Amino acid sequence: MDPTTLRPPGPYRIGRGSDSDIVLPYGTVSRRHALLSDQGGIWHLTDRGSRHGSFVNGVQLEEGDPTPITPGDLVRLGPWTFRVRDPGSAMASVPTTNDFHQSGHRIETVQRADRQEFAQHRLELLIDWAGTATTADTMEELSTLMLQAALDGTGLSRGAVVRQVSASGEVETIAEIGHGDGARTKIDMSRSLLAAASAGEVVRLTNEATPNYGESIMQLGIHSAVCAPLMLERSVEAYLYVDAREGERVVAEEAAAFCAAVARVGEMALGNLRRHALERLRQTAESDLRAARDAQDLIMPPSSGQFGSVKYAVMRQPGRMVAGDLFDVVPRREGGQVGVFLGDVSGKGVGAGLLMAVAQTNLRLGLRHTADPGLLLTDLNEYLLARSTTEKFITLWLGLFDPVAGTVQFSDAGHGHWLVCPPEGDPHLVQCEGKFPIGIDTGFAYPTESFSIEPGSRVVLFSDGLVEQADLDGDQFQVARAIDILRECGSCEEDVAALHKAVVSHAGTDSLQDDLTIASIEIARSS
């Protein structure tokens, strides 16, 4: 099939059903098989409870567990295998020679189980190669070592390790060795040979008694070649190719068997390499998450509390690979006023966590001395723009609750995710002027706005991790669902618990796509 171009943010539904974005019509593909989604600039594959499973580099995914995929990865869904490819990759693709209708040569299968009595030097080479293969850290390094072992054991001087990137026969060259001058050094491969090897068997190309080479690979003087596929689980990851040309001896049967043995060792090393790479990626993500969580834990307030007649409850759940929400409740010394802010830092990992910590500390100190939310956000914006070299920004809501005056003064910097729940009536959004997120541009003032609030009312704040959380079909939670849930709640603790339970149920997993912070601030009634 033609390549599928993924454009963020997705999601792309994959399955046998006609309602899928990527339809794979085959019995072992489930109707709702998998989901592709962009999370912070990294594409993730999630198995949706398929009957036969989803695989990345031969490793089966856990149901509902988003797994990052990177260029070079093999994704298998039923009988379909896809390679993840970056169109901007520096690794160039080259065409193969279409010789499917070419007479003068034939393709023979070399059985993997067919083991010749290797000469002593071949046996030693194979043992050395088995030890050396474990030292490679990259696919390119492993391919070079494997190719050198194959050439040393066959006596040939030309070969390549390639991977196929299109159904039309284009291949990427991972490693290449060729000696000589001019056209004799060019590594050109038979498309029919690659097609035969794609079945998972080592194959050999030989010429018949009266060759008729015509306009094909044979113009280069190639009279025999061997192609050994490198399998990852059931998919071909790459091909080991060697050939012989005019003036060189034919690739003998024992040489073909030696290439098969070299490829088999390469498969095992490659499988380990891919698994280790996937594990390293997961460990890096988990390390970033732990570091960001630690930063948040140091400065986040308790999960509930009360200052005068202002009560609050909050819960936060960092996403799988992100950490950037900020929240705090700051009582002021005069008038019983209480400052509250909730925001979301763009970006992922430690960088977002550190920016969150800086912004939270700045706002907390500012609320001790300033009772103007707009001025506080204006100062924070100028402070971060003067010191930050990153292109991150913060959506942020900051409010000053005054239960004596019955008002909330606030400023909204591109956040918008908040609802007012009066004691009588439905939860609703408040129309406000708002401004750009913090860190976008300099030279303007954030406005301070206000609304009245009566005892028994609640203001519910949340990060976009609530409304944008998708289910396994890619449908988002959205604000309307939050309003329906809050209608049935009567306290700040109920607000937080009910919304959290609902979004986890909607996601179908405890591992959410993004940071989730939910806070409810309640003006207590007089006893």
Side-chain angles (χ1 to χ4, degrees):
M1 63 185 296
D2 292 333
T4 298
T5 301
L6 303 180
R7 293 180 173 84
Y12 290 83
R13 304 173 180 87
I14 307 174
R16 192 175 74 247
S18 59
D19 59 340
S20 298
D21 300 302
I22 302 174
V23 180
L24 303 179
Y26 202 82
T28 55
V29 176
S30 299
R31 295 188 63 83
R32 299 166 66 252
H33 197 106
L35 190 74
L36 280 166
S37 59
D38 179 273
Q39 300 180 23
I42 300 175
W43 284 96
H44 288 67
L45 178 71
T46 304
D47 185 83
R48 302 169 71 186
S50 63
R51 177 174 296 182
H52 297 283
S54 305
F55 297 80
V56 174
N57 295 329
V59 179
Q60 185 169 0
L61 307 186
E62 296 290 337
E63 177 184 345
D65 185 13
T67 298
I69 56 174
T70 56
D73 286 346
L74 287 177
V75 174
R76 185 172 70 80
L77 311 168
W80 299 83
T81 299
F82 298 89
R83 182 179 302 284
V84 183
R85 188 177 182 217
D86 180 1
S89 171
M91 188 175 291
S93 61
V94 295
T96 53
T97 298
N98 186 356
D99 60 346
F100 279 106
H101 306 292
Q102 184 62 49
S103 61
H105 58 281
R106 66 178 183 272
I107 295 173
E108 300 172 344
T109 297
V110 179
Q111 298 297 328
R112 287 174 178 252
D114 182 10
R115 292 292 180 262
Q116 302 285 339
E117 289 294 332
F118 294 129
Q120 183 63 31
H121 75 281
R122 283 203 179 107
L123 182 58
E124 292 173 355
L125 283 171
L126 190 59
I127 294 172
D128 289 344
W129 158 234
T132 304
T134 60
T135 66
D137 294 323
T138 65
M139 178 63 178
E140 290 75 14
E141 184 180 350
L142 177 65
S143 298
T144 299
L145 293 171
M146 176 168 46
L147 184 57
Q148 191 60 63
L151 296 181
D152 289 346
T154 60
L156 300 173
S157 59
R158 193 169 25 262
V161 176
V162 302
R163 61 162 63 106
Q164 192 163 347
V165 296
S166 73
S168 62
E170 279 190 317
V171 295
E172 287 177 338
T173 302
I174 304 172
E176 181 177 15
I177 297 178
H179 302 297
D181 297 320
R184 294 179 59 82
T185 66
K186 181 181 178 182
I187 304 298
D188 201 344
M189 277 148 282
S190 157
R191 195 178 303 172
S192 59
L193 194 69
L194 289 174
S198 295
E201 299 293 341
V202 180
V203 294
R204 181 175 59 168
L205 179 73
T206 63
N207 62 315
E208 296 177 9
T210 310
N212 179 19
Y213 300 148
E215 298 294 324
S216 74
I217 189 175
M218 301 308 174
Q219 285 186 320
L220 296 175
I222 298 174
H223 55 72
S224 55
V226 170
C227 188
L230 278 70
M231 307 294 294
L232 261 183
E233 209 242 353
R234 304 182 202 173
S235 305
V236 179
E237 162 66 12
Y239 302 88
L240 169 64
Y241 170 88
V242 296
D243 67 32
R245 308 190 183 194
E246 295 174 356
E248 300 170 349
R249 64 185 181 84
V250 174
V251 176
E253 181 72 24
E254 63 271 18
F258 180 76
C259 287
V262 169
R264 179 57 179 156
V265 173
E267 286 175 353
M268 293 185 287
L270 179 58
N272 289 332
L273 195 64
R274 289 295 194 195
R275 282 186 286 274
H276 292 161
L278 185 60
E279 184 60 28
R280 284 196 299 270
L281 187 60
R282 285 176 171 168
Q283 288 176 353
T284 299
E286 290 172 2
S287 177
D288 284 355
L289 179 58
R290 284 193 298 270
R293 279 181 181 173
D294 291 344
Q296 282 187 319
D297 289 341
L298 291 173
I299 56 178
M300 288 290 281
S303 59
S304 62
Q306 184 167 352
F307 301 97
S309 58
V310 178
K311 300 171 60 178
Y312 79 90
V314 63
M315 67 75 51
R316 63 187 182 93
Q317 179 176 335
R320 285 177 39 86
M321 297 183 66
V322 296
D325 288 356
L326 59 152
F327 172 80
D328 211 343
V329 180
V330 184
R332 287 177 51 79
R333 293 187 178 91
E334 58 274 357
Q337 295 176 331
V338 178
V340 177
F341 57 85
L342 188 148
D344 186 1
V345 180
S346 69
K348 312 300 174 184
V350 175
L354 291 176
L355 184 58
M356 176 276 297
V358 171
Q360 183 151 332
T361 302
N362 182 286
L363 290 174
R364 185 174 182 85
L365 292 174
L367 279 167
R368 300 287 189 185
H369 307 287
T370 304
D372 186 338
L375 180 59
L376 284 170
L377 296 194
T378 300
D379 289 345
L380 176 63
N381 184 56
E382 298 299 328
Y383 178 85
L384 293 181
L385 283 171
R387 291 164 174 81
S388 176
T389 59
T390 66
E391 295 182 354
K392 297 184 183 300
F393 59 87
I394 306 173
T395 63
L396 183 65
W397 186 92
L398 188 151
L400 193 63
F401 289 76
D402 189 338
V404 176
T407 61
V408 176
Q409 296 184 73
F410 71 95
S411 188
D412 190 326
H415 190 72
H417 299 309
W418 56 289
L419 298 164
V420 175
C421 304
E424 302 294 336
D426 287 339
H428 60 273
L429 296 166
V430 173
Q431 297 297 321
C432 61
E433 181 179 350
K435 274 293 183 180
F436 299 116
I438 302 293
I440 294 293
D441 200 0
T442 186
F444 59 83
Y446 286 86
T448 295
E449 305 177 72
S450 66
F451 61 90
S452 299
I453 190 167
E454 58 181 308
S457 297
R458 308 182 313 278
V459 176
V460 181
L461 309 164
F462 41 87
S463 60
D464 58 9
L466 177 78
V467 293
E468 294 180 2
Q469 173 62 49
D471 62 12
L472 292 177
D473 289 325
D475 296 325
Q476 294 185 342
F477 189 81
Q478 297 187 349
V479 174
R481 190 177 274 107
I483 292 175
D484 290 339
I485 292 166
L486 292 173
R487 285 194 183 101
E488 308 300 321
C489 300
S491 68
C492 57
E493 293 86 359
E494 289 180 14
D495 292 341
V496 170
L499 285 176
H500 181 235
K501 180 180 178 181
V503 74
V504 170
S505 176
H506 178 78
T509 175
D510 289 333
S511 299
L512 303 181
Q513 295 173 349
D514 200 351
D515 284 352
L516 173 64
T517 301
I518 305 170
S520 180
I521 296 84
E522 180 179 353
I523 305 299
R525 292 186 172 94
S526 300
S527 57

